[in-house]
Amino acid sequence: MGIIVTLLVSFALTAILGRFLIPALHALKAGQSIREIGPKWHQVKSGTPTMGGIMFIVPTALLVVLGSIPAMKNGEYDHLLVLGLSLAFGAIGFLDDFVKVRLHRNLGLTALQKLLLQLAAAFVFLALLRWHGNLTYSLYLPFFNVSFPVPWALYMLFAGFVIVGCVNAVNLTDGIDGLAAGVTTPVMLFFAATAYLWGSNTLTLFPAALAGGLLGFLIYNFHPAKVFMGDTGSLFLGGAVCGMAFALDMPLVLILVGIVYIVETVSVILQVGYFKLTHGKRIFRMTPIHHHFEMGGWSEVKIFTVFTGVTVVMCLLAWLGVFQRF
């Protein structure tokens, strides 16, 4: 199944599924609680169904499995490792959403619970990736077209940190209507093109299906959102982003394609650190940084457009940095 066909089928399946999922989430009273420390005008979104990430997770998983049956018969399973990592993080997100919605704990799982579960998923993925020969314990440098080896213990620590950090960075980006889906779509298209150039039809299948699913999801998640992806969706996306980077053995490319995720995370770290050091002063109006712009008068649509546009430019730059490798 080609990239375009996979994308279009995933888009259609997600759009159709959304017609049934959103009423079902309403019936289950799976409404999002809005944190009081967030922008006050976000309170009107309280009650909007969450866990909508199921809408693009199901078609993506279905197309990846069904579309790769011939390849799996030939012993190709790298795409299933990426899907498995994404599903593992999606399951952690689902537990988090369930705690928020059903047990009415707005913060969901504790930080320690999430960290331990995420580290376990990351290290299992890395071990399986190494076992299948897709992990070289070396770091590829975009633009320079060279790789340098790293001691395996140090590499595993680095990789575990990157995966957990990346997943939570994507989660932080999911703060306004459509933002996480909009930013992640060009990232998936970049990985689909890169995997195709690399000659891996199976690895191409996953990001193509997910890109189509995200476009279908935006029908319902673009401002004003009728549904939120929840941690179910955002953690799945985080797993997909870092999973593809490691499956293609180029984790440093995340610095380019994931620039928005990084800036969102750094803004929080700087804000918290500066707040503690100065006993109450702030660098930004509010973090993550999309709220800073929002409180400065930017509409959610403008933030979506600018942040997604920046990601598109950085993905094109990343393409220039890695295409020599193939």
Side-chain angles (χ1 to χ4, degrees):
M1 191 181 295
I3 295 178
I4 303 300
V5 174
T6 300
L7 189 151
L8 292 175
V9 172
S10 183
F11 170 82
L13 290 176
T14 302
I16 293 169
L17 181 58
R19 303 278 297 191
F20 300 95
L21 181 63
I22 294 175
L25 292 173
H26 273 295
L28 292 172
K29 294 182 170 54
Q32 176 71 53
S33 297
I34 304 300
R35 296 179 65 182
E36 293 181 0
I37 61 173
K40 299 301 181 184
W41 53 89
H42 279 205
Q43 295 299 321
V44 299
K45 301 183 181 185
S46 184
T48 302
T50 188
M51 294 190 284
I54 296 170
M55 195 185 304
F56 55 78
I57 292 173
V58 171
T60 297
L62 185 66
L63 288 172
V64 167
V65 173
L66 294 180
S68 62
I69 290 176
M72 287 189 286
K73 289 180 179 178
N74 293 327
E76 296 182 46
Y77 301 106
D78 48 0
H79 61 298
L80 294 184
L81 297 181
V82 179
L83 176 62
L85 179 71
S86 304
L87 289 173
F89 278 110
I92 296 169
F94 180 83
L95 286 175
D96 199 37
D97 285 332
F98 182 83
V99 170
K100 293 175 184 176
V101 172
R102 306 305 296 177
L103 303 183
H104 305 291
R105 280 171 45 190
N106 193 42
L107 294 178
L109 298 174
T110 67
L112 180 60
Q113 288 171 332
K114 283 190 278 192
L115 177 62
L116 293 176
L117 289 170
Q118 290 174 358
L119 283 173
F123 286 125
V124 168
F125 167 73
L126 291 167
L128 290 173
L129 203 61
R130 175 60 177 171
W131 186 48
H132 280 273
N134 292 76
L135 201 63
T136 62
Y137 296 147
S138 62
L139 292 177
Y140 173 76
L141 294 178
F143 300 104
F144 297 97
N145 199 31
V146 295
S147 298
F148 61 92
V150 178
W152 74 268
L154 181 60
Y155 186 93
M156 290 295 282
L157 287 174
F158 159 79
F161 171 80
V162 169
I163 290 175
V164 172
C166 176
V167 168
N168 287 287
V170 176
N171 181 245
L172 283 175
T173 306
D174 183 35
I176 63 173
D177 296 353
L179 186 59
V183 167
T184 306
T185 298
V187 176
M188 286 299 111
L189 291 175
F190 164 80
F191 281 129
T194 304
Y196 180 80
L197 194 64
W198 198 25
S200 176
N201 290 329
T202 52
L203 274 180
T204 303
L205 190 64
F206 177 82
L210 183 51
L214 289 174
L215 290 172
F217 179 69
L218 280 170
I219 294 174
Y220 307 100
N221 186 236
F222 190 74
H223 185 74
K226 301 178 182 66
V227 66
F228 299 138
M229 67 173 66
D231 286 356
T232 304
S234 62
L235 294 189
F236 178 91
L237 293 186
V241 171
C242 57
M244 284 301 304
F246 278 95
L248 291 169
D249 204 22
M250 51 172 62
L252 293 183
V253 80
L254 290 172
I255 297 173
L256 297 171
V257 302
I259 188 65
V260 167
Y261 310 136
I262 293 171
V263 171
E264 294 273 23
T265 304
V266 170
S267 72
V268 174
I269 295 171
L270 290 176
Q271 183 87 321
V272 172
Y274 189 74
F275 186 87
K276 290 181 178 179
L277 286 174
T278 60
H279 305 289
K281 293 183 180 179
R282 291 177 170 84
I283 301 174
F284 306 102
R285 300 180 185 95
M286 184 178 289
T287 57
I289 200 168
H290 54 258
H291 288 321
H292 170 79
F293 290 108
E294 192 177 9
M295 295 189 74
W298 285 29
S299 68
E300 294 191 49
V301 172
K302 182 176 180 179
I303 296 170
F304 169 92
T305 304
V306 172
F307 282 35
T308 301
V310 168
T311 303
V312 169
V313 171
M314 295 305 290
C315 285
L316 291 172
L317 183 62
W319 174 259
L320 294 176
V322 304
F323 84 95
Q324 308 172 68
R325 188 182 189 187
F326 311 105

